[in-house]
């Protein structure tokens, strides 16, 4: 059946019945907030505070590694060849196996809030309203929109990128370079 995993403060919870019940709780100890999780086709990978990266083949048994320096990791994405984790302080970390991670690469002067893979590039959004793209996780291009809103998240729908920003703003893009503002119907965050 389908297994779902949700992350939060000090725990991962798992559901095997499509989200009706969440009986499996894994406590990760300490003051660790997990910010993002993905399924790469073979394993779950989750990132969070203290530079912690958690991995699991089944969503129940977890192992972890820590990125040196303990960065506050905010998001993780997988291209099929490389993982990219983004952090507060504007750093990016890359890994081929979610175990050994690169030294930090400074991409932005402020927090990289989320990252997504759209099939051909990584797209990272920044708290300060900027967007960056990269084909490989190592070389990044600034695609800033010149807006005052802070971005909260970005997702690939299969046909377009959707970025959510403060003030109820939504931005869409087919290529990560040109972005259009869409109406969300709200001014809430």
């Amino acid at each position: 059946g389908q297994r779902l995993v949700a992350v939060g403060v000090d725990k991962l919870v798992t559901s095997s019945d499509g989200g009706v019940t969440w009986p499996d709780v894994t406590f990760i100890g300490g003051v660790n907030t997990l910010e993002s999780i993905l399924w790469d086709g073979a394993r779950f990978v989750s990132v969070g505070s203290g530079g912690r990266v958690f991995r699991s083949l089944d969503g129940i048994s977890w192992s972890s590694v820590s990125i040196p320096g303990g960065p506050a990791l905010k998001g993780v994405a997988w291209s099929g060849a490389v993982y990219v984790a983004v952090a507060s302080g504007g750093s990016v970390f890359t890994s081929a196996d979610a175990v050994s991670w690169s030294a930090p690469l400074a991409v932005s002067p402020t927090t990289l809030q989320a990252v997504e893979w759209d099939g051909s590039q990584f797209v990272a959004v920044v708290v300060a309203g900027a967007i960056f793209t990269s084909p490989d996780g190592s070389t990044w291009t600034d695609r800033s929109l010149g807006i005052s809103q802070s971005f909260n998240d970005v997702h690939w729908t299969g046909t377009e990128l959707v970025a959510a920003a403060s003030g109820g703003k939504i931005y869409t893009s087919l290529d990560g370079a040109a972005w259009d503002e869409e109406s969300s119907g709200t001014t809430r965050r």
Side-chain angles (χ1 to χ4, degrees):
Q2 181 183 26
R3 176 152 297 154
L4 302 174
V5 179
V7 297
V9 178
D10 284 336
K11 65 184 145 218
L12 301 118
V13 292
T14 306
S15 173
S16 296
D17 60 9
V20 176
T21 61
W22 296 82
D24 298 312
V25 179
T26 303
F27 291 95
I28 56 175
V31 181
N32 294 290
T33 300
L34 295 174
E35 298 279 353
S36 180
I37 189 166
L38 66 77
W39 170 254
D40 69 9
R43 72 188 55 78
F44 292 99
V45 176
S46 181
V47 300
S49 62
R52 302 283 301 274
V53 179
F54 290 84
R55 296 162 294 127
S56 175
L57 296 175
D58 61 8
I60 297 172
S61 299
W62 294 83
S63 62
S64 70
V65 297
S66 293
I67 294 177
L73 301 173
K74 305 297 281 179
V76 64
W78 167 246
S79 70
V82 65
Y83 296 93
V84 167
V86 296
S88 61
S91 295
V92 169
F93 302 84
T94 59
S95 174
D97 59 9
V99 176
S100 299
W101 291 83
S102 69
L105 173 65
V107 171
S108 169
T110 58
T111 297
L112 291 163
Q113 188 66 24
V115 63
E116 181 73 293
W117 175 255
D118 73 2
S120 64
Q121 66 185 342
F122 291 100
V123 179
V125 295
V126 180
V127 168
I131 297 173
F132 293 88
T133 60
S134 172
D136 57 10
S138 297
T139 304
W140 292 83
T141 302
D142 186 342
R143 306 289 188 179
S144 295
L145 305 180
I147 61 171
S148 61
Q149 290 84 14
S150 293
F151 284 105
N152 301 312
D153 212 345
V154 62
H155 285 283
W156 173 246
T157 68
T159 57
E160 68 180 349
L161 290 155
V162 179
S166 59
K169 302 291 185 182
I170 303 289
Y171 295 86
T172 60
S173 175
L174 297 175
D175 61 6
W179 291 82
D180 295 313
E181 184 179 335
E182 306 293 340
S183 174
S184 71
T186 184
T187 58
R188 300 187 136 216
R189 185 176 176 182

